[in-house]
Amino acid sequence: MQKKENLLVQFQEVLKEQKYSHEEKSMIEAAYQLAEKHHEGQKRASGEEFIIHPLSVAIYLAAMNVDKEMIIAGLLHDLVEDTDIELTDLEDQFGKPIAQLVDGVTKITKLKSASKTEQKAETIRKMLFSMIQDMRVIIVKLADKVHNMSTLQYLPREKQKKVAKETLEIYAPLAGKLGLYFIKNELENLALRGLKPDLYKTIDLYMKKKEKKRRGITTLITHGIESKLENSDVSFSIKSRIKHKYSIYRKMKKFNKNIDLIFDLYGVRIITDTVENCYVILGIVHRLWHPIHGRFKDYIASPKSNGYRSIHTTVIIEKRKVIEIQIRTREMDEMNEYGIAAHWYYKSGDHPGHKDIKWLETLKQVQEQKLSPEEFYQHIRDDILKEEIYVFTPKNDIYELPKGATPLDFAYQIHTEVGNRCRGAKANGNIIPLHAPLQNGMVVEIITAKDPCPKREWISIAKTTSAKRKIRHFFRTHEENLLTQEAGKKTPVEPIPKKERKQKPKKIVKKVMNREKIAIEVDGERNLLFSFANCCNPVPPDPIVGFVSRGRGIIIHRTDCKNLNSFEDLETRSIAVNWTTTSKNNIFSFFLRTSDRANTYIKINNVIKRHGGTIIEFDLDKSTEHLRKIDGHFSIELPANRNIDIIIKDIRKIPTVLFIDMR
Ligand code: MN
């Protein structure tokens, strides 16, 4: 009971904040009254009064500052489906546009198709279809979804999983497609909570523990930039955020790592007033901190197809702290957050960014032509879906490809190595030729060979430019290969500026032990030929990148290796690699401060051995030995059944250990 009253107060506040007119507010009020009256006595699975649901949806919509019709549709959206109210009743009281909105939302809910795959394709088709009639349907539907997902825990376990999966496969990607990133992130987080509640809790607790650290980083970045901007009139504000839990989970899964070993947990957003200043600040950021190659993206110069604009770069701050920094103007920030909804709000049309939403324009044109439903469908199929089809992996990951794309395009989109090793393809379980165009909603499996096997004719078979480029690149490097060149060997080393040279008297003793136990993983593939670059000598848990050499397999460099910048073709030849082990054991890293070098090492080694582990690598900073304050990093390998926490506890008991922290 209490909850409804609270929500109503909140609703009033949001409406006031967003400055809806008196007339609009009374219409919204009337819609609420109608919904409350007819949902009376109904309960949600959570046991709450039903009205809590449409009310929450309406608040969510109002906070996005959408038009009154969408808010009203949010309040009314379950009436026709769940009560004795007919669509015509709504039409009589609120007019046709609102009745149609409600109808659209209801229709998406009622989907019945033969197979799962078919159903997914059908859902996507249906959503695109209703988007053309009125895109606001999707926004209302997504708001509905967010609230349903937030009360997912009241459904039976199996149902929770099913709904969460569907959310990840369809609704979240669609929100992304519309540029509604805050909805996308929220849906993904809630879906993760539904699918893996324990893991979700672990991530949540871990991030809470790191809250202080995050604030420290924000301050550090703010001060850094401020110091460089003194005496200039460039103004900026900074927001830091924890990356959303689902993206952290995805990294943990992809890299098969504990959360302690995931590097970029935080993101920082710098907001300024003009595009010019975005680049000024970018320059400062790159001067202050070392950027990680391959992570810089300029979506201001080339916006995403949903209109998203921002600069992204990832830098290394202090010791091994990897931070993603986004730089954008205030206006872009608003557009990016609210995506299509912001577009709706600025529908005067002269708002900057409006024209960037290209596919939206196409949709609008089709909408204005007043076509029959069949003609609409043809348009979606031929004009809208021509641009993109959605294809699923057997694991139900969704990929977006241009229409006409072949299995080769799909394979190369998954990963260059998957493309190079592509030997055949199955669509919905049947073998198809590599030149066959893929269809929307297909489940496509790529059959790979052990070794790369591209054929020259692939260049003409592939439809996407990125796949063509990758195939060409394969042949180019393959030929050069015969000329016995080697990468990473004779590349010039950038001279270290004098200033930096002075700052580097630190001698770090680096010992690498049992290196044969360390392996490298590319997209889950471990059996790859690789070697470590001699220039930067990476050891776990350094951030690393792979460079595909001519004839020496993958050469592993530290991401901040100075030599990387001097390699030609770095963009196409670098691949994401991860630390892993050759055994089923886990690698853990920790940081510690000790007062005694030798003694500490022996004692730590004893503790680790006692627990069945091995020290893989350690470094202790010798230069501070005389201060009796030595910092060090250890990487250790533990059998899967051993608990790292117990070991850390035991190490903490060593008297010479002043401080220890999992990194
Ligand atoms: Mn609903």
Side-chain angles (χ1 to χ4, degrees), residues 53 77-78 144 148:
H53 169 63
H77 81 270
D78 275 327
D144 176 37
N148 283 338

Side-chain angles (χ1 to χ4, degrees), residues 16 92-93 110 113 136 175 182 212 312 516 537 580 593 625 641 646 661:
K16 202 157 81 192
D92 291 345
Q93 195 178 340
K110 282 192 206 158
S113 278
R136 299 176 301 174
F182 73 106
K212 213 170 124 196
H312 291 189
E516 72 273 10
N537 200 27
T580 181
R593 181 163 288 169
E625 195 163 8
N641 58 354
I646 294 168
D661 188 26

